[in-house]
Amino acid sequence: MANILLVDDRPENLLALEGILLPLEQDLLYAHSGEDALRLLLLNDVAVILLDVQMPGLDGFETAALIKHRERTRHIPIIFVTAISKGEEHVFRGYSAGAVDYVFKPFNPDVLRSKVAVFIELHEKTEQLRRQAELLKEQELAELRRESEERYRFLAEAQPDQIWTATPKGQLDYVNQRALDYFDASFAAMVEQGWTEVIHPEDLGRTLERWQHALDTGHLYENELRLRRAADASYRWHLTRAVPMQDRRGEIVKWFGSNTDIHDQKRAEEAQRFLVEAGATLGGSLDYRTTLAAVAKMAVPRIADWSRVDILEHGKLRTLAVEHVDPAKLELALELARRYPEDPDAAQGPPLVLRTGSSELVTEIAEETLAELAVDDLHLGLVRELGFQSYMCVPLLARDRVLGVISFVAAESGRRYGPDDLALAEELARRAGTAIENAQLYREVEERAQAARVLATVADGVFLVDREGVVRLWNEAAEAITGLPREGVVGRSAEEVLPGWSHLAARVPIAGAPGPAASETMPLELAGGERWLSISGVGFDEGTVYAFRDLTEERGLEEMRQDLVATVSHELRTPLAAIYGSALTLARDDLELEPALNTKLLGVIVDESERLADIVNDLLLASQLDAGKLEVRIEHCDARSLTESVVEAARTHLPEDLTLELEAAEADLPPVAADEGQLRQVLGNLIDNAIKYSPDGGDVRIRLEPADQCVRFAVADRGLGIPSGEQARIFEKFYRLDPHMTRGIGGTGLGLYISRELVRRVNGRIWVEPNDGQGSVFYVEIPAASEPLGGNRPRKAASAPA
Ligand code: ADP
């Protein structure tokens, strides 16, 4: 049914129209004015309008113009009905106002009815067309929607992630196959149970809270949570996101969500973080027990619900540390370790790992396995109480040695160990092993440093010779005693560095480490001369450590003491015997002595007494020189007259087969700066020796000559001579070339020593050279007195340079 709007200010006209149009069986709307008509048009859909032209207020034309002006009503056909405005201009106005017809009264009711009927029909047709078009559009839209839905689903199914959608209230209405597979659930089951069943209990509270917040606010939802995988009942970390889709009015029509598996990435991050923290803890102690206890602690709860560290001690595994996530169960774990020590031959668990050095991983421990492995009911009870779900055991390696094992057990957490967990556990054990190794190395280095400090400070020489005979260590005292610097010794063979070592080494007593060794004193030929060393050795795996002490000085003193006693007693005994013999003879009263013999015997007594006095004087002088107590009185001395007087004195007891000549230089000799008495003694010694050591006679020549700022005395003989190797040593105290007097020539060995010391004290020099062919020449150089001395200045003989 369509509406026909009748507009006329006169009710009777409306009534007339009603009568004409009723047979059309359409709805009739009545308006009494233009305004009235406009209002009705706002509320109703109208097929045709019959409009009176002359009306108070808005007339027909004005009303038509307003109707045509409105978008919604401009298409409605208008038929003007009038009795008065029949003029042409009115008709024209009517048509230009948009009228489809202009009807004059009186009109034929049938004609008007048919006209209206035509417009009604037209309206209905148009309506029908419009509806059809709308229907078509709707169908197309539905098709489009279906297609886009399909495309979206297709996209969702092709995703590697779990994709889902939910109603605005959060009810699941789509889950992709991937998700269904993961949870091994049907879509219906998923929709019914929702997420709560598959989310890790620890993550559930947080997840629900966030999801509710997103639903309430319409904000993006994002969360990290663990979702249980049906295949192995393990929980894997996922990143869940959901975005709301809104319509044009901003109302949420759907939530689009996705769950992305971030398990591996998350575990890798966690593992990395864990290992970094572990590294810091492990490095914190030098005691390996502390380190290992720390490992057990760190593992719980991040890797295991409980963990245990067993170490190898005396061939057996001993539990060093146990940790449990539940303090109440810690006691049970300890009890288990105490009561049931590991069977070293067990085919699984710590003993196996210890034997093989390889890890063990049991992802799922079946109840039957536990029962099988249990030793007795109590054992099984303990194990059940503790809960064994998944297990891994890794070796603790340090320097390729298995120190022990670390066991990790998953119980109430429900986690299952996989290769990733094993890799993490192995890495943890590896780091613990390294930490222990480092601590050991540190201790060793520290010990070595201490040993090195001790070695550097001990007074004994210490050196190490390895099995190949190469010196590996040479301490500071060894350097000082031998004069061989470390750089020249270490790394070279001992034989090369210490001549005759292989021969000597055989004599060194070697103790097995670490006992003390007796020592052996032996001479070692070194660049600075022979050194007497007291050496002992200790053998150990890598070679032998030798310790030695320098006894050269002690030995020299001892020798000297023996020499002194022997020489002095002999030297004293000879004159004493002569004196004693002469005195005895003189004292005899049964014998009348010739006066000449009498005189001679008295002469012997005098001479030998003088000789005794000389020996005693020499001894006294030597001891004064040693003690630095000898006074030196330096003055200008005339070398020539002094030498002449010494030569003259010597001539008095010259053997017959010997000649003594003084060859003074022609040139003038400068005075020398010396202590005259002492210089006289030096020259006297040299001339006496020249005579004494020329047992077969010959010439003794004394020469005097100026030298560089000094005067040189030379005493040359044709006597026994001095081997070149002994030329320095004859100046040593008590040193004699022939200590046993095989040639019958006596002496104390003090003369040259005293001479050298006296010469040194006036800054002179003394030395010996061979006399070409035979004998020796002793030289003494005394500095010339360069400036007049201001009187006789006594001075203490001190450490004057030689
Ligand atoms: P002494 O003559 O009392 O033994 P010296 O100190 O004077 O002591 O001399 C030391 C040693 O030097 C002598 O024992 C001797 O062997 C050697 N000697 C000294 N002078 C000569 C010399 N002119 N010719 C050979 N040997 C000498």
Side-chain angles (χ1 to χ4, degrees):
M1 285 237 282
N3 292 321
I4 304 168
L5 178 59
L6 310 175
V7 190
D8 204 310
D9 56 325
R10 296 184 195 192
E12 63 271 23
N13 285 350
L14 288 174
L15 213 62
L17 284 172
E18 184 190 275
I20 297 166
L21 297 175
L22 264 177
L24 290 177
E25 294 184 341
Q26 303 295 330
D27 284 340
L28 300 176
L29 303 175
Y30 308 95
H32 301 281
S33 64
E35 291 84 350
D36 213 5
L38 290 174
R39 197 172 50 250
L40 279 169
L41 280 172
L42 275 179
L43 302 169
N44 302 284
D45 187 24
V46 172
V48 58
I49 303 168
L50 297 178
L51 188 55
D52 181 24
V53 176
Q54 284 195 312
M55 286 186 293
L58 287 175
D59 67 15
F61 298 135
E62 286 165 343
T63 307
L66 285 170
I67 291 169
K68 290 290 161 191
H69 196 70
R70 282 192 195 156
E71 172 69 32
R72 228 170 69 85
T73 52
R74 70 153 46 115
H75 63 278
I76 304 174
I78 299 172
I79 302 173
F80 280 109
V81 183
T82 182
I84 309 149
S85 314
K86 289 181 185 169
E88 229 169 68
E89 78 276 18
H90 283 106
V91 178
F92 176 73
R93 246 189 101 185
Y95 281 112
S96 46
V100 291
D101 211 341
Y102 206 93
V103 182
F104 303 107
K105 287 181 190 170
F107 45 71
N108 184 327
D110 293 329
V111 172
L112 183 66
R113 194 183 306 117
S114 342
K115 279 186 178 174
V116 170
V118 169
F119 287 113
I120 294 287
E121 198 177 332
L122 190 71
H123 174 79
E124 274 171 357
K125 282 265 153 50
T126 316
E127 267 300 292
Q128 200 181 345
L129 271 175
R130 192 183 58 81
R131 269 201 304 277
Q132 274 174 354
E134 232 165 48
L135 204 70
L136 207 69
K137 206 171 148 199
E138 237 163 51
Q139 278 171 352
E140 273 174 6
L141 266 177
E143 177 68 12
L144 256 174
R145 223 178 276 130
R146 200 181 53 75
E147 262 179 26
S148 94
E149 184 99 332
E150 227 166 49
R151 213 174 287 148
Y152 155 71
R153 293 265 157 104
F154 185 74
L155 209 67
E157 292 301 338
Q159 285 303 307
D161 295 338
Q162 297 172 15
I163 307 285
W164 48 270
T165 60
T167 63
K169 289 195 166 160
Q171 180 72 28
L172 273 180
D173 60 3
Y174 165 74
V175 180
N176 73 349
Q177 191 57 42
R178 202 173 177 84
L180 296 176
D181 289 348
Y182 183 88
F183 299 112
D184 192 21
S186 68
F187 173 66
M190 277 305 291
V191 169
E192 193 187 326
Q193 75 191 23
W195 298 109
T196 38
E197 292 290 305
V198 292
I199 293 175
H200 192 286
E202 281 175 21
D203 304 335
L204 188 59
R206 182 185 67 244
T207 302
L208 292 178
E209 204 174 289
R210 289 198 187 172
W211 182 223
Q212 194 54 53
H213 180 75
L215 293 177
D216 292 346
T217 59
H219 289 160
L220 168 93
Y221 162 74
E222 195 171 285
N223 188 21
E224 283 185 8
L225 78 175
R226 281 163 285 180
L227 295 172
R228 193 177 61 225
R229 180 162 67 184
D232 59 357
S234 70
Y235 282 96
R236 293 183 66 80
W237 279 101
H238 283 77
L239 170 68
T240 296
R241 287 169 61 98
V243 285
M245 192 179 97
Q246 291 160 338
D247 63 11
R248 242 177 271 156
R249 283 167 297 157
E251 292 288 318
I252 293 176
V253 290
K254 219 182 217 352
W255 285 90
F256 284 81
S258 65
N259 304 338
T260 309
D261 188 325
I262 53 164
H263 192 74
D264 295 340
Q265 174 194 337
K266 181 128 178 133
R267 290 302 295 274
E269 276 171 19
E270 266 181 4
Q272 206 49 44
R273 212 171 26 244
F274 174 64
L275 288 173
V276 167
E277 281 171 32
T281 311
L282 292 175
S285 169
L286 288 180
D287 175 35
Y288 81 106
R289 286 162 191 279
T290 315
T291 306
L292 292 176
V295 172
K297 239 194 175 63
M298 274 182 295
V300 174
R302 294 175 71 170
I303 301 185
D305 293 326
W306 65 285
S307 75
R308 198 173 88 181
V309 178
D310 297 310
I311 55 157
L312 188 63
E313 269 184 5
H314 312 299
K316 277 189 191 158
L317 275 176
R318 198 178 66 78
T319 299
L320 186 100
V322 179
E323 276 299 324
H324 202 292
V325 71
D326 178 357
K329 289 196 175 171
L330 182 61
E331 201 40 54
L332 289 178
L334 286 166
E335 179 75 6
L336 182 73
R338 248 193 322 264
R339 274 187 186 264
Y340 299 97
E342 300 288 347
D343 169 10
D345 301 321
Q348 69 289 313
L352 176 76
V353 173
L354 186 72
R355 284 200 307 274
T356 59
S358 317
S359 312
E360 191 184 18
L361 169 69
V362 186
T363 304
E364 183 86 56
I365 304 176
E367 168 67 26
E368 309 85 71
T369 321
L370 286 184
E372 259 171 47
L373 292 174
V375 174
D376 53 29
D377 286 350
L378 177 64
H379 192 193
L380 183 63
L382 277 173
V383 165
R384 274 203 186 125
E385 187 69 20
L386 279 164
F388 274 77
Q389 303 275 317
S390 192
Y391 162 84
M392 55 187 180
C393 183
V394 295
L396 197 59
L397 300 163
R399 290 196 202 169
D400 300 333
R401 194 161 55 90
V402 186
L403 291 179
V405 300
I406 314 178
S407 311
F408 304 88
V409 178
E412 36 276 271
S413 68
R415 68 192 288 170
R416 295 287 179 279
Y417 294 132
D420 287 352
D421 301 291
L422 186 66
L424 177 64
E426 280 175 343
E427 183 58 25
L428 178 66
R430 199 186 63 74
R431 291 189 185 206
T434 310
I436 292 169
E437 211 164 282
N438 284 347
Q440 271 173 1
L441 282 176
Y442 178 82
R443 258 201 305 275
E444 275 170 30
V445 167
E446 192 56 21
E447 277 167 14
R448 270 187 206 190
Q450 261 167 13
R453 282 197 287 277
V454 170
L455 270 186
T457 48
V458 290
D460 286 0
V462 177
F463 64 103
L464 188 157
V465 179
D466 69 12
R467 299 204 157 276
E468 272 66 54
V470 176
V471 181
R472 291 288 167 209
L473 187 148
W474 189 256
N475 77 340
E476 284 174 23
E479 282 186 327
I481 294 170
T482 61
L484 297 170
R486 184 189 317 233
E487 311 82 74
V489 178
V490 173
R492 293 173 62 191
S493 89
E495 179 65 29
E496 196 182 333
V497 180
L498 308 168
W501 172 249
S502 53
H503 179 66
L504 291 172
R507 284 170 51 201
V508 177
I510 305 289
S519 59
E520 174 78 24
T521 305
M522 54 185 74
L524 203 69
E525 210 51 59
L526 294 162
E530 187 187 61
R531 312 268 350 155
W532 282 83
L533 305 179
S534 154
I535 311 185
S536 63
V538 178
F540 70 112
D541 287 355
E542 292 156 49
T544 311
V545 176
Y546 293 95
F548 62 92
R549 192 166 285 192
D550 187 5
L551 292 186
T552 313
E553 219 91 306
E554 285 87 336
R555 198 178 165 86
L557 282 173
E558 177 58 23
E559 273 179 359
M560 207 187 278
R561 196 182 60 78
Q562 286 170 5
D563 290 355
L564 174 72
V565 172
T567 320
V568 171
S569 53
H570 176 267
E571 279 307 291
L572 291 175
R573 204 179 296 125
T574 317
L576 266 178
I579 293 169
Y580 184 65
S582 303
L584 269 186
T585 313
L586 285 173
R588 280 174 69 166
D589 44 10
D590 59 328
L591 203 69
E592 191 67 31
L593 290 176
E594 293 279 316
L597 183 60
N598 214 359
T599 312
K600 198 180 173 192
L601 286 174
L602 284 172
V604 167
I605 291 176
V606 170
D607 284 352
E608 293 303 318
S609 300
E610 272 175 6
R611 201 172 143 196
L612 272 180
D614 281 349
I615 293 171
V616 173
N617 276 343
D618 276 359
L619 284 169
L620 216 65
L621 194 56
S623 90
Q624 277 178 324
L625 282 168
D626 284 349
K629 282 184 182 159
L630 186 78
E631 272 194 10
V632 183
R633 190 177 289 272
I634 292 183
E635 53 198 340
H636 287 195
C637 308
D638 180 0
R640 193 188 304 264
S641 63
L642 186 139
T643 313
E644 277 169 359
S645 72
V646 178
V647 169
E648 216 44 58
R651 281 216 174 96
T652 56
H653 56 266
L654 200 64
E656 280 171 7
D657 50 358
L658 235 148
T659 56
L660 184 59
E661 295 297 329
L662 171 63
E663 302 169 1
E666 274 130 51
D668 275 349
L669 288 172
V672 292
D675 180 312
E676 191 176 327
Q678 290 172 4
L679 182 55
R680 193 181 289 278
Q681 178 162 8
V682 172
L683 290 177
N685 275 347
L686 296 182
I687 294 169
D688 282 352
N689 278 352
I691 296 166
K692 197 160 75 172
Y693 296 104
S694 301
D696 304 323
D699 289 345
V700 173
R701 293 181 177 277
I702 293 104
R703 215 166 45 244
L704 264 180
E705 54 196 13
D708 180 27
Q709 294 189 15
C710 62
V711 172
R712 183 185 298 144
F713 303 79
V715 180
D717 63 53
R718 293 278 165 197
L720 297 174
I722 295 153
S724 61
E726 305 280 1
Q727 282 166 0
R729 300 209 66 188
I730 53 169
F731 292 96
E732 287 175 15
K733 202 176 354 175
F734 300 120
Y735 193 83
R736 307 196 72 234
L737 288 181
D738 181 18
H740 307 295
M741 291 192 295
T742 47
R743 296 294 303 245
I745 305 169
T748 55
L750 283 173
L752 287 182
Y753 168 72
I754 291 170
S755 300
R756 185 188 69 183
E757 292 305 307
L758 294 178
V759 169
R760 264 188 187 172
R761 279 161 174 71
V762 295
N763 297 335
R765 289 208 302 146
I766 181 167
W767 72 98
V768 67
E769 286 177 14
N771 198 1
D772 44 39
Q774 195 187 352
S776 332
V777 188
F778 281 83
Y779 294 96
V780 174
E781 278 182 2
I782 302 294
S786 51
E787 56 196 58
L789 289 164
N792 295 341
R793 274 183 302 151
R795 76 169 191 218
K796 273 265 159 83
S799 54

